[in-house]
């Protein structure tokens, strides 16, 4: 087994180390989510934590790590006698992003359950992680069905495996630790709330600190055992401090003054529910125990707020987590009590004893939308509608859009947009299983076995089941798509103040893509060429940021934009062939760039139709005289056209109400 990098050898990252140590002191804090750019020691620090955790007493031979002092009465390996425990090291179990449902919760042998009535159960990762750490690297890329299972287990402290009336239950209480790069997409709010603490990490910009990071990493790679030995004394000291803090934790007093500050802070930042108050209370208590104190101070409450609230405050989907520290200080001062203390931290130099605020990243709507600097002008002849490049226009208020989907049935990654054959959803039929049976179709299995019961010598009430009788349920659910936006940023779009409305429409579609778990990409065209403003990614907020700083001006190279989009789809099809694409072209349909611009645009559009790519043209044309060019483009693409107003979901509902009202009046 590879020697882990020592926890105490991690350079900097005080907030990260503190959050992990607080969970080691008090697992009731509820885990930690580590957000940050790649290469910032997120995974290294988490993996190093397990070596610092105290040993766990378990029932010998129990696959579910039952506590010998209080064994689980419903344990599948039970019943256990309440004695005879043995110590083993604390576990850190890693959940791969691409794991199957059976690997996470365990597998039940359906064939033996039906034929013999035996609950033959093979435990999964949730059982392995019981009373330990469940670590998910790139947790934001975890499939939705696995997220649902994690939410259920985290809420109930138990895992249930149920197959056609046969069920197995076992305890599953674990410390959930996740790492993620926000550029690759955000987490579902339900899972985000399950993490007790969150930390933002970033690489140091100090040359000396970066030199020390490289020096230690190279030394570890050359001799892992020798490097770990040099840090053994520091590791032992932190391990002993964790044990001491755990012993002190029950004696820590959380006074009424600190409780009032906690409640007032959660109310001031408008967090939903009461989980934030509870997590803050537990975190503040753990901070006091870690510092060797039995009283919770105001500084503990402040640090707890900085760790527990950024991901819980109310915010728009594209806003980065973070807290207004001035507002936090004002709230704490206003509700300061006499029993919460005012001394400085007596142990500021302990491991992780610092604790600055997580530095929030600037969101796409944090001021960058309206102050983008115009770039150099593109070549091309002046146009009456505005050939000169203009500064980025602010986006109009987003709205709820009508549902757009890809026709047919796909087999892509789970999502919420288009119809697809999935492992989850409504049952539509049955087939013979290919490989391991995962979803039994009971009626089809009984129907397949029934004609052979006499030949198999059936004499009792039960069916005689053979492997060939089993039938796999085929299910239909929803998939996530690649939504590729092709946005016209030419001078004609800037005319009549349309670009703000166009950006608002695209932002609305991005919000819809965020909710439906899509990947998104952004191609823009103006002047003399097109560019890929954002390659396909799961980070919808990155697309919103690029959209906010988009300038306009110049001619309309529509053909170049379509050809660039076609190339993006070709490359992405090689990377992810199962994910179907939806191309959203946002334009007024004019084509003025290059030789024979209209003919070139038509030929480029027909490439999409030949490949069977689903497409929608958002018609941005306005004014009393309409040329209908966007509708013609939609015909060439083999897609549909919709106006900016028609993109709104409420406009469709209004149209239905008008039609129903007309029918009632006619009757």
């Amino acid at each position: 087994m590879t020697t882990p990098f020592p926890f105490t050898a991690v350079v900097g990252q005080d907030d990260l180390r503190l959050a992990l140590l607080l969970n080691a002191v008090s697992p009731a804090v509820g885990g930690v989510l580590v957000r940050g750019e790649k290469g910032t020691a997120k995974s290294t620090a988490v993996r190093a934590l397990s070596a610092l955790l105290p040993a766990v007493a378990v029932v010998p031979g129990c696959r579910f790590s039952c506590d010998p002092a209080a064994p689980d009465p419903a344990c599948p390996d039970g019943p256990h006698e309440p004695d005879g425990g043995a110590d083993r090291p604390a576990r850190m179990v890693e959940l791969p992003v691409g794991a199957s449902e059976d690997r996470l919760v365990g597998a039940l042998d359906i064939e033996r359950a039906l034929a013999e009535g035996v609950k033959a159960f093979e435990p999964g990762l949730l059982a392995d992680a019981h009373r330990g750490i469940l670590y998910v690297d790139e947790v934001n890329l975890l499939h939705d069905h696995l997220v649902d299972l994690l939410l259920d287990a985290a809420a109930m402290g138990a895992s249930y495996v149920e197959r056609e009336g046969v069920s197995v239950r076992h305890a599953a209480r674990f410390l959930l630790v996740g790492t993620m790069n926000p550029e690759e997409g955000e987490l579902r709010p339900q899972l985000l709330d399950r993490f007790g603490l969150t930390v933002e990490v970033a690489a140091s910009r100090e040359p000396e600190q970066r030199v020390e990071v490289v020096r230690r990493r190279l030394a570890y790679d050359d001799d892992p055992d020798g490097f770990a030995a040099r840090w053994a004394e520091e590791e032992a000291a932190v391990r002993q401090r964790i044990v001491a803090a755990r012993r002190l934790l029950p004696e820590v007093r959380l006074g009424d003054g600190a409780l009032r500050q906690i409640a007032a802070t959660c109310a001031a930042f408008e967090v939903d529910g009461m989980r934030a108050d509870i997590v803050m209370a537990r975190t503040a208590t753990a901070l006091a125990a870690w510092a060797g104190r039995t009283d919770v101070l105001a500084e503990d409450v402040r640090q707890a707020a900085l760790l527990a609230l950024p991901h819980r405050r109310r915010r728009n989907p594209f806003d980065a987590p973070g807290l207004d520290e001035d507002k936090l200080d004002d709230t704490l001062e206003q509700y300061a009590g006499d029993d919460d203390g005012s001394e400085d931290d007596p142990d500021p130099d302990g491991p992780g004893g610092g604790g600055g605020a997580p530095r929030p990243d600037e969101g796409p709507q944090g001021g960058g939308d309206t102050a983008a600097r115009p770039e150099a002008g593109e070549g091309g002849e002046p146009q009456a509608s505005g050939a000169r490049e203009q500064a980025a226009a602010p986006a109009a208020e987003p709205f709820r859009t009508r549902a757009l989907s890809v026709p047919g049935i796909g087999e892509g990654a789970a999502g919420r947009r288009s119809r697809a054959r999935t492992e989850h959803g409504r049952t539509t039929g049955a087939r013979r299983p290919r490989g391991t049976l995962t979803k039994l179709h009971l009626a089809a299995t009984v129907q397949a076995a029934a004609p052979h019961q006499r030949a198999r010598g059936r004499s009792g009430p039960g069916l005689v089941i053979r492997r060939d009788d089993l039938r796999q349920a085929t299910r239909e659910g929803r998939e996530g798509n690649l939504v590729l936006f092709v946005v016209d940023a030419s001078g004609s779009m800037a005319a009549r103040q349309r670009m703000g409305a166009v950006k608002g429409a695209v932002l609305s579609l991005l919000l819809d893509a965020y909710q439906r778990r899509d990947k998104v990409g952004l191609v823009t065209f103006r002047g003399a060429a097109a560019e890929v403003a954002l390659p396909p990614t799961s980070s919808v907020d990155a697309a919103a940021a690029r959209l906010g700083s988009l300038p306009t001006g110049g001619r309309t190279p529509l053909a170049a934009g379509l050809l660039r989009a076609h190339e993006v789809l070709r490359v992405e099809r090689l990377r992810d062939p199962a994910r179907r694409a939806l191309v959203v072209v946002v334009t007024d349909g004019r084509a003025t760039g290059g030789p024979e611009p209209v003919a070139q645009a038509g030929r480029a559009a027909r490439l999409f139709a030949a490949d069977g790519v689903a497409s929608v043209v958002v018609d941005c044309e306005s004014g009393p005289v309409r040329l209908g060019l966007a509708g013609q483009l939609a015909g060439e693409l083999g897609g549909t056209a919709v106006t900016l107003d028609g993109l709104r979901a409420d406009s469709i509902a209004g149209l239905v109400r008008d039609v129903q009202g007309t029918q009632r009046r006619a009757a």
Side-chain angles (χ1 to χ4, degrees):
M1 182 177 179
T2 304
T3 303
F5 192 91
F7 185 86
T8 51
V10 175
V11 179
Q13 307 297 12
D14 291 340
D15 290 340
L16 169 59
R17 293 188 294 136
L18 178 61
L20 292 173
L21 289 170
L22 292 177
N23 278 277
V25 171
S26 175
V29 167
V32 58
L33 173 66
V34 187
R35 296 165 47 96
E37 59 195 24
K38 50 188 176 293
T40 49
K42 300 188 299 293
S43 301
T44 299
V46 173
R47 292 188 175 98
L49 176 67
S50 60
L52 298 177
L53 298 181
V56 178
V58 297
V59 174
C62 177
R63 298 174 296 169
F64 302 89
S65 301
C66 280
D67 186 349
D72 182 8
C75 176
D77 285 354
H80 302 301
E81 296 296 329
D83 55 13
D87 290 345
R88 66 157 174 78
R91 288 177 181 167
M92 189 189 74
V93 178
E94 294 196 37
L95 171 60
V97 171
S100 66
E101 179 180 335
D102 287 345
R103 185 70 188 98
L104 178 61
V105 301
L108 188 65
D109 192 328
I110 300 297
E111 186 175 358
R112 290 188 63 189
L114 288 177
E116 305 173 26
V118 176
K119 294 182 180 179
F121 181 70
E122 184 66 28
L125 295 177
L126 290 180
D128 293 340
H130 179 48
R131 303 177 66 202
I133 301 174
L134 181 63
Y135 171 50
V136 189
D137 194 12
E138 305 295 349
V139 63
N140 51 323
L141 303 182
L142 201 63
H143 289 302
D144 277 357
H145 68 282
L146 297 182
V147 170
D148 294 337
L149 294 171
L150 274 182
L151 289 172
D152 290 342
M156 297 184 294
S159 175
Y160 292 84
V161 181
E162 299 188 8
R163 299 282 174 82
E164 305 298 339
V166 180
S167 65
V168 173
R169 174 213 169 273
H170 65 82
R173 291 182 293 275
F174 47 83
L175 184 65
L176 183 60
V177 179
T179 57
M180 60 174 284
N181 183 352
E183 294 179 357
E184 296 174 343
E186 288 290 346
L187 271 180
R188 283 172 55 181
Q190 296 91 337
L191 181 57
L192 188 63
D193 189 53
R194 285 294 172 184
F195 287 98
L197 310 178
T198 185
V199 176
E200 295 277 344
V201 297
S204 173
R205 298 297 183 259
E206 294 295 330
E208 290 302 321
Q209 195 172 70
R210 296 175 74 96
V211 167
E212 186 61 24
V213 170
V214 175
R215 182 182 291 119
R216 293 186 186 184
R217 186 68 211 191
L218 293 178
Y220 170 78
D221 291 340
D222 290 340
D223 183 10
D225 293 334
F227 184 82
R230 291 196 293 274
W231 289 87
E233 185 176 347
E234 288 83 352
E235 292 282 287
V238 174
R239 192 177 298 110
Q240 292 172 4
R241 189 175 175 186
I242 292 174
V243 173
R246 283 190 172 188
R247 291 173 181 167
L248 184 62
L249 188 65
E251 303 176 18
V252 175
R253 173 178 172 268
L254 183 65
D256 290 342
L259 280 173
R260 282 195 296 271
Q261 287 183 316
I262 290 172
T265 301
C266 292
F269 286 97
E270 299 182 342
V271 298
D272 293 326
M274 295 298 298
R275 183 175 286 118
D277 303 63
I278 297 171
V279 171
M280 271 191 66
R282 290 172 174 167
T283 304
T285 304
L287 280 162
W290 177 247
R293 291 185 268 100
T294 57
D295 288 319
V296 174
L297 307 181
E299 63 199 56
D300 298 325
V301 176
R302 186 182 192 278
Q303 182 64 70
L306 293 173
L307 293 173
L309 296 189
H311 61 302
R312 289 189 168 92
R313 68 175 179 83
R314 289 188 179 181
R315 59 190 180 95
N316 293 324
F318 298 149
D319 292 344
L323 289 184
D324 183 342
E325 293 194 39
D326 291 337
K327 180 179 179 181
L328 173 62
D329 291 335
D330 291 343
T331 303
L332 294 176
E333 183 178 355
Q334 180 181 356
Y335 288 89
D338 296 332
D339 58 349
D340 57 7
S342 59
E343 305 88 28
D344 292 334
D345 189 347
D347 189 16
D349 299 324
R359 185 177 65 196
D361 295 329
E362 292 185 2
Q365 297 175 353
D369 287 358
T370 60
R373 181 180 300 174
E375 301 175 3
E378 296 284 348
E381 297 177 4
Q383 294 180 1
S385 58
R388 180 178 301 174
E389 183 176 294
Q390 302 179 15
E397 190 70 20
F399 52 84
R400 189 167 65 90
T401 66
R402 58 183 291 187
L404 304 177
S405 61
V406 178
I409 301 179
E411 296 181 349
R416 303 191 185 103
R417 184 172 295 278
S418 304
R419 296 172 57 198
R421 299 182 185 90
T422 63
E423 290 295 323
H424 304 270
R426 63 185 182 89
T427 301
T428 58
R431 59 172 174 81
R432 291 182 181 273
R434 295 190 290 267
T436 303
L437 178 70
T438 56
K439 297 291 182 181
L440 178 73
H441 195 295
L442 183 59
T445 299
V446 172
Q447 186 177 7
H452 308 290
Q453 296 305 295
R454 180 175 297 178
R456 294 173 182 173
R458 173 187 172 187
S459 57
L463 287 174
V464 180
I465 302 292
R466 298 287 186 265
R467 178 69 183 174
D468 290 343
D469 301 330
L470 299 178
R471 294 295 182 269
Q472 173 85 23
T474 57
R475 302 188 176 219
E476 183 178 309
R478 293 281 170 175
E479 67 177 1
N481 298 117
L482 167 60
V483 182
L484 182 61
F485 293 93
V486 186
V487 180
D488 183 352
S490 65
S492 63
M493 293 292 290
R496 306 183 186 92
Q497 305 299 320
R498 273 184 287 171
M499 202 59 197
V502 169
K503 286 186 176 182
V506 178
L507 186 62
S508 303
L509 290 168
L510 284 171
L511 282 166
D512 183 66
Y514 168 81
Q515 294 165 353
R516 297 182 188 274
R517 313 296 290 178
D518 293 317
K519 291 181 69 174
V520 296
L522 179 62
V523 174
T524 64
F525 58 94
R526 63 187 178 90
E531 65 173 342
V532 180
L534 184 71
T537 176
S538 297
S539 179
V540 179
D541 55 346
R546 303 292 173 86
L547 177 71
S549 59
L550 179 66
T552 59
R555 288 184 174 272
T556 311
L558 178 57
L562 294 175
L563 290 174
R564 181 60 63 91
H566 189 267
E567 177 63 16
V568 170
L569 292 184
R570 185 190 69 80
V571 174
E572 191 65 18
R573 199 176 295 120
L574 297 175
R575 295 174 178 167
D576 190 357
R579 188 181 292 270
R580 297 188 295 166
L582 174 64
V583 176
V584 179
V585 184
V586 184
T587 181
D588 56 10
R590 290 181 172 86
T592 60
E596 299 182 353
V598 176
Q600 292 282 3
R603 283 192 287 270
R606 287 190 287 274
L607 293 176
F608 291 86
D611 291 342
V613 178
S615 59
V616 175
V617 177
V618 180
D619 186 359
C620 302
E621 190 174 26
S622 62
V625 179
R626 295 176 178 267
L627 303 178
L629 299 176
Q632 297 176 21
L633 176 62
E636 298 279 6
L637 288 166
T640 59
V642 59
T643 63
L644 283 174
D645 290 336
L647 194 61
R648 295 177 178 269
D650 53 4
S651 68
I652 304 298
L655 176 61
V656 172
R657 288 193 296 269
D658 291 344
V659 171
Q660 291 175 341
T662 302
Q663 292 175 341
R664 285 194 296 269
R665 287 192 297 271

